[in-house]
Amino acid sequence: MTILRSGSMQKMRVELSDTIQYFLELDDQPLLMNDLLGKEVYLKNLGDIHCSHCGRLTKKSFSQGYCFPCFKKLPQCDLCMMSPDRCHFHLGTCRDEAFAESVCFNEHIVYLANSSGIKVGITRATQVPTRWIDQGAVEALPIFRVKTRQQSGLVEKIIGQHISDKTNWRKMLKGEITEIDLVAMRDELLETCRTELAQLSEEHGLQSIMPITDAQVQGLNYPVAEYPVKISSHNLDKTELISGVLKGIKGQYLILDTGVINLRKYTSYSIEFGLIE
Ligand SMILES: [Zn+2]
């Protein structure tokens, strides 16, 4: 076995290109994973997890990379991050107002994407297209530009009455994605939700919730040589060492010939990564 990198797991950094580029960043030397397609690789759980906020040793990783006290305290672990329509800033109970100012009270995008079928989602404007790639979407289309995270959540909720807001990761990884005309879907959904969206705009001010009508569909092409027929997933909590031939990368998953692994699930784990030779 040849060690290539060792360190604390973070989600892979992505770069949009003809084929999306994935970088594993276990230490300060990013490793271009695309180059390893077709090679037999391994991941080893070195056995300790250090909170990505405070560095404390933790038995379990909460909310992708935090210790329990940080999970209970940090604004990024609050329920309203998952359900932005439940923002409680106005009640004076925000966990960290400076965080809210820098993250929540910033431009957000509501988008349609085809990940395992059509879905609606939200993201900070600065996270486009990273968010789409992390979800394994093959196409995405921004449909609203809104002023705050909460507003994006409210728009998402209205549209989410008609389409999913989730990705079926098994289906996403099988790569059997039916083509969808996102522009036509956008027009249809805006028409269906016209009254509710107009009411929301009225409540929040017309400048706050702006439809995007001139956006192009962004196609996203993943480095996948071969999609799995059957999905079985590896678990580094149960198996300390996993290995297999790297067949592809999609979302934050490595597709090995022996099974798939969601690297994001192991954020903050000490991991060794290398080649079986
Ligand atoms: Zn912590």
Side-chain angles (χ1 to χ4, degrees):
M1 300 201 298
T2 311
I3 303 177
L4 293 178
R5 295 290 187 279
S6 176
S8 180
M9 179 73 88
Q10 301 169 46
K11 78 184 181 84
M12 289 177 281
R13 182 163 60 78
V14 297
E15 270 176 26
L16 186 62
S17 187
D18 291 343
T19 299
I20 294 159
Q21 310 265 292
Y22 280 94
F23 297 89
L24 184 67
E25 299 188 314
L26 288 176
D27 54 22
D28 51 12
Q29 281 181 296
L31 178 67
L32 179 61
M33 295 295 281
N34 300 50
D35 285 349
L36 299 176
L37 247 65
K39 302 215 162 110
E40 193 173 10
V41 299
Y42 74 89
L43 285 136
K44 188 175 181 188
N45 179 357
L46 298 177
D48 53 77
I49 306 167
H50 286 272
C51 172
S52 60
H53 180 73
C54 72
R56 187 191 331 240
L57 193 63
T58 173
K59 281 214 172 87
K60 206 182 140 195
S61 160
F62 295 87
S63 192
Q64 292 170 347
Y66 300 99
C67 68
F68 190 68
C70 284
F71 168 68
K72 294 298 280 181
K73 183 182 74 194
L74 290 174
Q76 57 268 45
C77 302
D78 202 346
L79 187 66
C80 48
M81 286 310 280
M82 293 300 286
S83 308
D85 56 300
R86 295 168 73 176
C87 171
H88 47 92
F89 188 90
H90 62 287
L91 299 174
T93 52
C94 183
R95 286 186 177 183
D96 182 345
E97 296 196 356
F99 176 90
E101 291 297 340
S102 71
V103 174
C104 308
F105 293 95
N106 263 316
E107 189 172 87
H108 277 64
I109 299 287
V110 182
Y111 61 87
L112 297 180
N114 183 3
S115 50
S116 55
I118 191 163
K119 64 158 278 176
V120 59
I122 66 154
T123 183
R124 269 185 286 164
T126 52
Q127 289 302 106
V128 168
T130 304
R131 178 77 180 147
W132 301 337
I133 296 170
D134 284 350
Q135 290 178 335
V138 293
E139 284 190 320
L141 177 70
I143 59 169
F144 278 96
R145 188 183 308 277
V146 301
K147 276 200 171 148
T148 70
R149 188 171 180 85
Q150 184 188 30
Q151 288 164 354
S152 71
L154 294 169
V155 174
E156 183 188 37
K157 214 174 171 191
I158 291 173
I159 293 172
Q161 297 172 105
H162 307 282
I163 59 171
S164 175
D165 61 358
K166 299 204 166 48
T167 296
N168 175 333
W169 62 271
R170 287 176 180 275
K171 198 170 166 199
M172 180 274 284
L173 287 172
K174 279 188 179 172
E176 303 158 345
I177 310 298
T178 318
E179 244 177 74
I180 297 170
D181 183 342
L182 292 180
V183 172
M185 283 304 293
R186 172 196 67 195
D187 294 344
E188 199 180 312
L189 285 161
L190 292 191
E191 183 54 32
T192 310
C193 303
R194 192 158 47 97
T195 316
E196 282 170 280
L197 289 167
Q199 199 182 336
L200 191 69
S201 295
E202 207 168 292
E203 284 165 23
H204 290 263
L206 288 176
Q207 295 302 309
S208 297
I209 298 169
M210 303 280 285
I212 305 173
T213 50
D214 59 350
Q216 306 263 324
V217 172
Q218 173 72 58
L220 300 158
N221 187 22
Y222 297 86
V224 179
E226 199 182 317
Y227 283 102
V229 181
K230 187 176 154 283
I231 306 282
S232 59
S233 49
H234 285 296
N235 185 340
L236 279 172
D237 288 322
K238 292 183 181 150
T239 318
E240 176 187 309
L241 180 78
I242 65 160
S243 63
V245 176
L246 184 63
K247 294 289 186 182
I249 313 170
K250 195 176 186 193
Q252 284 287 331
Y253 283 84
L254 299 185
I255 302 169
L256 307 177
D257 65 343
T258 53
V260 302
I261 178 164
N262 178 10
L263 295 192
R264 212 163 179 188
K265 192 174 156 195
Y266 303 100
T267 305
S268 301
Y269 281 57
S270 292
I271 297 288
E272 182 181 301
F273 178 80
L275 290 171
I276 303 259
E277 277 168 343

